[in-house]
Amino acid sequence: MLGKHDAVATVTLKNLTAAKKVYEGALGLKPIDAEGEEVVVYESGGSRLNVYRSQFAGTNKATAVTWAVDDVEGEVRALKSKGVAFEHYDMPGLKLQGDLHVAEGEDMKVAWFKDPDGNIFSLVNR
């Protein structure tokens, strides 16, 4: 059934115009489709990310989108240079290393950040 189909991450925002500065500018995502000021579809690697306007934006308290990357520290440095602030969450088996806000565990590194509406994103390397 669904296991044969691609899944698309969906994130809600209150202000698409303000969010575009982060999604396109800082994160480097490419818009590939839009529906007025209500929805923007971004390309991220071979995936798509739907971003739409909603009064419930930022109410999710868990990670909404994760990017698997080869170099977490390098991505963190690049994003910090564009003004992205990183978060730290206490997670079992993970310990914060250095001043980059990268948490390390036995076989993974992870870093978290938020978009303008508080949606939580992560970078991970396993």
Side-chain angles (χ1 to χ4, degrees):
M1 290 180 53
L2 295 180
K4 297 177 183 177
H5 301 278
D6 292 335
V8 176
T10 302
V11 176
T12 58
L13 298 167
K14 292 179 183 167
N15 184 328
L16 285 179
T17 303
K20 286 179 182 182
K21 292 178 184 176
V22 172
Y23 284 72
E24 295 171 27
L27 303 183
L29 299 179
K30 178 184 171 189
I32 58 171
D33 198 4
E35 293 179 23
E37 292 298 315
E38 298 299 316
V39 178
V40 178
V41 179
Y42 288 102
E43 182 177 64
S44 180
S47 302
R48 291 183 177 196
L49 175 64
N50 289 341
V51 177
Y52 73 95
R53 196 164 60 116
S54 170
Q55 66 182 4
F56 302 108
T59 59
N60 181 6
K61 301 300 179 203
T63 302
V65 179
T66 298
W67 282 270
V69 299
D70 293 327
D71 179 9
V72 173
E73 291 94 339
E75 295 291 341
V76 168
R77 283 186 196 93
L79 290 169
K80 278 187 169 192
S81 75
K82 294 183 179 201
V84 175
F86 281 79
E87 307 283 318
H88 173 68
Y89 302 101
D90 291 324
M91 302 290 288
L94 294 177
K95 183 177 178 183
L96 190 62
Q97 301 292 335
D99 63 346
L100 287 178
H101 285 87
V102 175
E104 293 185 34
E106 186 174 311
D107 63 346
M108 71 180 287
K109 293 181 181 182
V110 63
W112 292 273
F113 61 98
K114 293 181 179 178
D115 74 2
D117 283 292
N119 293 300
I120 302 169
F121 298 152
S122 69
L123 307 171
V124 68
N125 178 297
R126 290 186 180 250

